[in-house]
Amino acid sequence: MLSARTWKLERYAKQVKEWSHTVATPQEPVTLSILNDHKLIVAQGTSKIHESLMLWESTTWIKGVRKGAAILLMIKSPLSDSVRKIRFKFLPDNESSAEAQAVECATCLNAYFKFEKEYTKEAFSQFQQEPLQGTGKKLLISDMSKMMMNGDVTELLGELYSKTVFPKEQIRHMLTLCLSDPHFPGFVVEVEKLLKQMNSQSSTQRGSQ
């Protein structure tokens, strides 16, 4: 799949409890790409993917801040109240500075979600407390897997989880590609086994409490 635009990064960082940093090297460059199917990818080298975010309708769960040659994204989880942060520092290219690269990237991303003028604790707290559209429910991964297996997604989770952000024509194209792959049926079988295993483990844990 071709990239709509790719930028070279000096470093990529993510915050879980503390910040962890991935620094680009000549052997393993770090890049940020916005693909033609509206997906944001942060990759290292040729085989490692650090981030894969679908940007369709992301305005309620992603916000950004640009400062100089760096961009900070705040990403809200639909399964809890948590908000994680990821940060990119850009490299210059032969034609423009690192800051110009960051400005260009922020301009592209601003088509999907809002960029704040600056990061403040107050703005972060407000974003964290804003409800996601479609549901106020908080879920565990095990709950999600059980509902998917039982077909209860629409009834129990509301519009946020029962509707995809993928355009229908892209879904048709993806499905055609999947069905043309001789390994796809085996993949479906393994996914179903894993969902059943997760449901079984969840039921056992709850029964022991």
Side-chain angles (χ1 to χ4, degrees):
M1 184 176 296
L2 296 177
S3 297
R5 186 68 174 90
T6 295
W7 296 268
K8 292 182 179 180
L9 302 178
E10 178 182 318
R11 68 178 63 225
Y12 151 81
K14 62 179 178 179
Q15 184 186 43
V16 183
K17 292 183 179 180
E18 298 180 353
W19 283 100
S20 63
H21 298 264
T22 300
V23 180
T25 65
Q27 294 75 27
E28 289 194 310
V30 180
T31 59
L32 185 158
S33 300
I34 300 177
L35 303 181
N36 290 327
D37 61 354
H38 309 284
K39 183 179 290 185
L40 183 152
I41 299 289
V42 177
Q44 181 180 6
T46 58
S47 59
K48 188 169 185 177
I49 302 296
H50 288 286
E51 298 285 345
S52 178
L53 300 172
M54 176 52 63
L55 297 174
W56 277 107
E57 299 181 4
S58 59
T59 184
T60 61
W61 55 276
I62 301 180
K63 281 193 177 180
V65 179
R66 184 194 66 81
K67 184 177 181 180
I71 286 177
L72 170 72
L73 298 186
M74 298 174 284
I75 305 167
K76 187 181 298 185
S77 169
L79 304 180
S80 68
D81 290 330
S82 65
V83 175
R84 69 186 185 95
K85 302 173 191 174
I86 57 177
R87 189 168 60 205
F88 320 112
K89 187 173 182 182
F90 291 77
L91 284 171
D93 63 11
N94 295 331
E95 299 180 353
S96 58
S97 66
E99 183 171 354
Q101 296 289 300
V103 169
E104 182 184 26
C105 181
T107 301
C108 292
L109 292 175
N110 195 47
Y112 299 101
F113 53 82
K114 182 180 178 181
F115 267 73
E116 302 289 346
K117 292 183 178 179
E118 61 181 3
Y119 174 81
T120 64
K121 290 183 179 180
E122 291 77 13
F124 175 78
S125 178
Q126 181 180 356
F127 176 60
Q128 190 172 24
Q129 294 172 15
E130 290 174 355
L132 287 168
Q133 293 179 355
T135 181
K137 298 178 182 295
K138 296 172 186 169
L139 300 166
L140 300 174
I141 295 295
S142 56
D143 294 327
M144 182 73 77
S145 64
K146 183 176 180 180
M147 291 172 183
M148 290 181 65
M149 289 293 293
N150 295 338
D152 297 333
V153 177
T154 302
E155 180 179 354
L156 296 179
L157 301 183
E159 292 184 358
L160 177 65
Y161 293 99
S162 62
K163 293 184 179 180
T164 176
V165 297
F166 282 98
K168 289 184 179 180
E169 287 305 313
Q170 288 197 18
I171 295 176
R172 182 187 299 274
H173 178 64
M174 291 170 60
L175 183 58
T176 301
L177 290 177
C178 289
L179 292 175
S180 64
D181 185 344
H183 300 291
F184 182 67
F187 170 78
V188 173
V189 171
E190 291 303 317
V191 168
E192 185 173 0
K193 287 181 181 179
L194 184 57
L195 285 171
K196 289 180 179 179
Q197 181 182 351
M198 293 170 68
N199 293 338
S200 177
Q201 290 175 348
S202 176
S203 299
T204 302
Q205 291 172 357
R206 289 174 180 173
S208 63
Q209 291 178 353

